[in-house]
Amino acid sequence: MTRLSDAFAKSGGKLSLVRAAAFGSDGHMLFSENGSAISAPIVDRLLAANNLVLRDRLLDAPERPAQLRTR
């Protein structure tokens, strides 16, 4: 835990750590279109644990901005 997470928990915040398998070069793209099959169930569990509505299907990915289309 970090000082930030400790302070959050001590003030009544709920914490959970999700260890996901390696994804890409650093894991930051886990929540991108390519990682949605992995990240969607994680988000769904978070929503359910907080009594929030689950989606019936994955959201359509937004169109990539023009400056990123060549990457």
Side-chain angles (χ1 to χ4, degrees):
M1 294 284 215
T2 65
R3 289 188 308 165
L4 179 62
S5 60
D6 287 343
F8 181 75
K10 286 178 184 174
S11 67
K14 294 181 183 177
L15 294 172
S16 63
L17 173 65
V18 177
R19 292 188 184 265
F23 188 83
S25 62
D26 61 13
H28 285 98
M29 297 304 291
L30 181 63
F31 291 94
S32 70
E33 179 180 3
N34 293 335
S36 64
I38 298 167
S39 61
I42 294 168
V43 172
D44 287 344
R45 286 192 301 272
L46 171 75
L47 294 173
N50 289 281
N51 298 315
L52 298 170
V53 178
L54 300 176
R55 296 173 278 100
D56 291 331
R57 66 177 184 83
L58 291 175
L59 299 174
D60 294 330
E63 187 174 328
R64 293 183 79 170
Q67 65 268 31
L68 298 178
R69 290 186 194 147
T70 59
R71 293 183 184 178

